[in-house]
Amino acid sequence: MISRSLGPEFGGAVGLCFYLGTTFAGAMYILGTIEILLTYLFPGMAIFKAEEAKDEPAALLNNMRVYGTCVLTCMAIVVFVGVKYVNKFALVFLGCVILSILAIYAGVIKSAFDPPDFPICILGNRTLSRKGFDICAKFIEVGNETVTTKLWALFCSSPFLNATCDLYFSQNNVTEVQGIPGVASPLIQENVWSNYLQKGVMVEKSGLVSVPSGDPVNLDQPYVFSDMATYFTLLVGIYFPSVTGIMAGSNRSGDLRDAQKSIPVGTIMAIATTSFVYISSVILFGACIEGVVLRDKFGEAVNGNLVVGTLAWPSPWVIVFGSFFSTCGAGLQSLTGAPRLLQAISRDGIVPFLRVFGHGKANGEPTWALLLTACICEIGILIASLDEVAPILSMFFLMCYLFVNLACAVQTLLRTPNWRPRFKYYHWTLSFLGMSLCLSLMFICSWYYALVAMLVAGLIYKYIEYRGAEKEWGDGIRGLSLSAARYALLRLEEGPPHTKNWRPQCLVLVRVDQDQNVVHPQLLSLTTQLKAGKGLTIVGSVLEGTYLENHPQSQRAEESLRRLMEAEKVKGFCQVVISSNIRDGISHLIQSSGLGGLQHNTVLVGWPRNWRQKEDHQTWRNFIELVRETTAAHLALIVAKNVAMFPGNQERFTEGNIDVWWVVHDGGMLMLLPFLLRHHKVWKRCTMRIFTVAQMDDNSIQMKKDLTTFLYHLRINAEIEVVEMHDSDISAYTYEKTLVMEQRSQILKQMHLTKTEREREIQSITDESRGSIRRKNPTNSRLHLSVPEEQVGDCEEKPEEEVKLIHEENATSTPQSPPEEADTIQDRVHLTWTKDKFTADKNKSKSPSTPEGIKDFFNMKPEWENLNQSNVRRMHTAVKLNEVIVKKSHDAKLVLLNMPGPPRNRKGDENYMEFLEVLTEHLDRVMLVRGGGREVITIYS
């Protein structure tokens, strides 16, 4: 019932607790059976005898352990033979219980006009134990002679009247009163008020005169002492198990013809009947029986006689046999119901290691569950103390009732369509009140037992959540989660998050192969390291085609993503989109992923590897469009280059650096990302270093001071270094890289020209080559990577002089050549002039002012004169910056640097990729970061 209402985790946890409670209840009933057997029916059967009075409790416990084990074995055999025999015995046991209850009421009525003779002996106001004497007097008259009694001998040094006696015994009189004065006596006025005792305190009668002696009490004297401290909560815990039988009908609902009708009627009638019997019995006992007798736990003041049996009519044996058969029947019912509870939990399959207990005999009897129940029940019997066992099962039962009430209240409050209770007087406030009372009683009875029971239930809950089978029963917790999620999403719509709460909510774009497996799983490892299980993560992928044809592939891809996310411990969602082309699918993911205020603010993607070798050239075009769309959507972008070299979640860097190359301010993304990474075990031992780039005319010292102060206020520990970029002549290597890039661009264009256009282009190249006499040598190449802070994330509206590194200007047409000629030229350039050769030549002639040699060399390359000088300057900046980064960060574990924006003119897209490639050459792990146009880090906590 609880599993289907609150989910398998709650149901399994509470069900197992209820099972344990029912099992320990069986132990309690068996202990009660043995106590009645050895105390009232056959006292001579005791195996362990007590030589002294102080040894009696230990002897009783040992006897209960031995006989309890024997009775448990017999009951288990009866249950194993068949439940039909238990049902037959149940009628006999029920008849005995009813007769006992009627005998008590009859005895109460009889006591009103003929109370039983049930004397107790009191010294002063102290109740005396009857075990050492028979006459309640200090001495008696025998003829003309005064003779001392056995009571005198217990308090005096000799049987003579001149003996030295206990001072309290000498100063107080001995009184004999009736223990059961009857219901007509005014005793109820005295007993209606509480009188709790501490352990070792004498049981005293109020209203009698007592002269205190001032001497300490001798525990060997025949007084009745309290064997335990009593208080309200303790007594509630001991009493509560007597009302736990009201769920017996629910436990065996499978045997009922119409459970929907029988369970409510039967349960309500059981509660009404038992409540009337218990409350009336408490009131009538208080009106008929002396308080000292009620507080005499072991009946020492009445020579061990059964008080209720003495009150009952016509004979005490009715109560003795009724109690004996009642406890036997309750024990059998517990041993019958508990294995079925365990079998039902096992068959649900929510607790893997319990599945073996779901099997049984051919007729469905739970054989293995009965064996386990008997073993657990034996633990309670070995404890052998009713007062210790009762609070344990009280906790388990109270927890079960608490969750039953919670299940009803949750289903009502959520207005679950299928929640249609047949009981028309039901209201959710009743369930809430019952739940509150159960929780209160748990801590009122015993707060430490309550904590232990909740801990056990919590451990079972987490185990089922971690290892249990996935079950979908339409439980209320799922509905509660949906309501909470809806409320939280509506709250998120109230406004964007504050900078203090900003964290990367990642949309991870991955590519799958033909078998729908992720090509680069390291991206998900990086996501885990970046997120540390916090915030939103959406893993998206795009399949090319139509939805109707590729739907099965989409499902397989989603399943593959889920498996990988589970393996990499990525907490989030996966989404696979089918589109006619990859570019539109990526655009759809960026636009539509997330829900309401729970949307991504960062896109994580891998660098397109081998983009130069792609024949259709669509890979890098899709990448550039992705950069443009994230910029337009004001989303941050993280591009992981060489993603195959990134560490997995199981790897650990024992040392190393995370280098941040802070060229332009991007809202703090470059500062925040390494800070988040260092929270993960992989990067925890790495040191953060920040490099910022300065021009020759900048104040490097002041820049370092300002940056140090900024990081101090951000509470980020990092080493800071300002790198100065020197103005220098453009190297031949730069011209060569630019030439190769532009020739490649022309080849790409050539593929789309008609034959006539191709002939015109060849003629144009010939004319321009013949007319080339000289070239311009730019000598003032500044760093073209800086962007004003207010222009971050908006590349469409920047003025021409503030454009980023790869900004395409209105340049003249670049010469083209046919594919065959272009391939030849490209090969010749690579063979004629390489970076290594240029470095060697520069080492031979270190003087930069050698215009003659360079001029002669340039005259050998007439193609250089036609290069776009804007591209040359940007290539120069990329080459120089790459040299500095490689020099400073060649041994870094990770390098983060600003990602330049794409060009406004789409004709230069292929150049943009080349610039980025040059910028990140010779670096192992690189993260290109582009901000989303807002501050993401603040100095405030």
PDB file of all heavy atoms in Angstrom, residues 140-147:
ATOM      1  N   ILE A 140       2.069 -11.264  68.323  1.00  0.00           N
ATOM      2  CA  ILE A 140       0.690 -11.697  68.547  1.00  0.00           C
ATOM      3  C   ILE A 140       0.569 -12.213  69.978  1.00  0.00           C
ATOM      4  O   ILE A 140       1.576 -12.591  70.616  1.00  0.00           O
ATOM      5  CB  ILE A 140       0.276 -12.792  67.546  1.00  0.00           C
ATOM      6  CG1 ILE A 140       1.228 -13.995  67.630  1.00  0.00           C
ATOM      7  CG2 ILE A 140       0.199 -12.240  66.131  1.00  0.00           C
ATOM      8  CD1 ILE A 140       0.823 -15.155  66.751  1.00  0.00           C
ATOM      9  N   GLU A 141      -0.668 -12.270  70.474  1.00  0.00           N
ATOM     10  CA  GLU A 141      -0.946 -12.793  71.794  1.00  0.00           C
ATOM     11  C   GLU A 141      -1.335 -14.270  71.684  1.00  0.00           C
ATOM     12  O   GLU A 141      -2.285 -14.621  70.993  1.00  0.00           O
ATOM     13  CB  GLU A 141      -2.094 -12.019  72.451  1.00  0.00           C
ATOM     14  CG  GLU A 141      -1.804 -10.553  72.691  1.00  0.00           C
ATOM     15  CD  GLU A 141      -0.771 -10.330  73.788  1.00  0.00           C
ATOM     16  OE1 GLU A 141      -0.609 -11.241  74.648  1.00  0.00           O
ATOM     17  OE2 GLU A 141      -0.093  -9.261  73.776  1.00  0.00           O
ATOM     18  N   VAL A 142      -0.565 -15.129  72.348  1.00  0.00           N
ATOM     19  CA  VAL A 142      -0.855 -16.563  72.405  1.00  0.00           C
ATOM     20  C   VAL A 142      -1.125 -16.894  73.863  1.00  0.00           C
ATOM     21  O   VAL A 142      -0.198 -17.029  74.673  1.00  0.00           O
ATOM     22  CB  VAL A 142       0.297 -17.407  71.852  1.00  0.00           C
ATOM     23  CG1 VAL A 142      -0.057 -18.905  71.955  1.00  0.00           C
ATOM     24  CG2 VAL A 142       0.619 -17.014  70.437  1.00  0.00           C
ATOM     25  N   GLY A 143      -2.417 -16.974  74.195  1.00  0.00           N
ATOM     26  CA  GLY A 143      -2.781 -17.127  75.605  1.00  0.00           C
ATOM     27  C   GLY A 143      -2.466 -15.831  76.341  1.00  0.00           C
ATOM     28  O   GLY A 143      -2.911 -14.743  75.964  1.00  0.00           O
ATOM     29  N   ASN A 144      -1.653 -15.964  77.379  1.00  0.00           N
ATOM     30  CA  ASN A 144      -1.233 -14.786  78.136  1.00  0.00           C
ATOM     31  C   ASN A 144       0.171 -14.344  77.757  1.00  0.00           C
ATOM     32  O   ASN A 144       0.769 -13.495  78.413  1.00  0.00           O
ATOM     33  CB  ASN A 144      -1.291 -15.084  79.651  1.00  0.00           C
ATOM     34  CG  ASN A 144      -2.706 -15.341  80.112  1.00  0.00           C
ATOM     35  OD1 ASN A 144      -3.651 -14.729  79.587  1.00  0.00           O
ATOM     36  ND2 ASN A 144      -2.871 -16.253  81.079  1.00  0.00           N
ATOM     37  N   GLU A 145       0.697 -14.911  76.665  1.00  0.00           N
ATOM     38  CA  GLU A 145       2.100 -14.652  76.299  1.00  0.00           C
ATOM     39  C   GLU A 145       2.152 -13.909  74.963  1.00  0.00           C
ATOM     40  O   GLU A 145       1.403 -14.194  74.041  1.00  0.00           O
ATOM     41  CB  GLU A 145       2.856 -15.979  76.196  1.00  0.00           C
ATOM     42  CG  GLU A 145       4.334 -15.796  75.924  1.00  0.00           C
ATOM     43  CD  GLU A 145       5.064 -17.149  75.854  1.00  0.00           C
ATOM     44  OE1 GLU A 145       4.395 -18.199  76.036  1.00  0.00           O
ATOM     45  OE2 GLU A 145       6.265 -17.135  75.575  1.00  0.00           O
ATOM     46  N   THR A 146       3.060 -12.949  74.900  1.00  0.00           N
ATOM     47  CA  THR A 146       3.266 -12.180  73.676  1.00  0.00           C
ATOM     48  C   THR A 146       4.398 -12.822  72.883  1.00  0.00           C
ATOM     49  O   THR A 146       5.523 -12.963  73.393  1.00  0.00           O
ATOM     50  CB  THR A 146       3.610 -10.719  73.986  1.00  0.00           C
ATOM     51  OG1 THR A 146       2.549 -10.147  74.766  1.00  0.00           O
ATOM     52  CG2 THR A 146       3.799  -9.932  72.709  1.00  0.00           C
ATOM     53  N   VAL A 147       4.076 -13.204  71.650  1.00  0.00           N
ATOM     54  CA  VAL A 147       5.047 -13.912  70.804  1.00  0.00           C
ATOM     55  C   VAL A 147       5.318 -13.063  69.558  1.00  0.00           C
ATOM     56  O   VAL A 147       4.389 -12.550  68.919  1.00  0.00           O
ATOM     57  CB  VAL A 147       4.519 -15.297  70.387  1.00  0.00           C
ATOM     58  CG1 VAL A 147       5.540 -16.017  69.518  1.00  0.00           C
ATOM     59  CG2 VAL A 147       4.164 -16.120  71.611  1.00  0.00           C
TER      60      VAL A 147
END
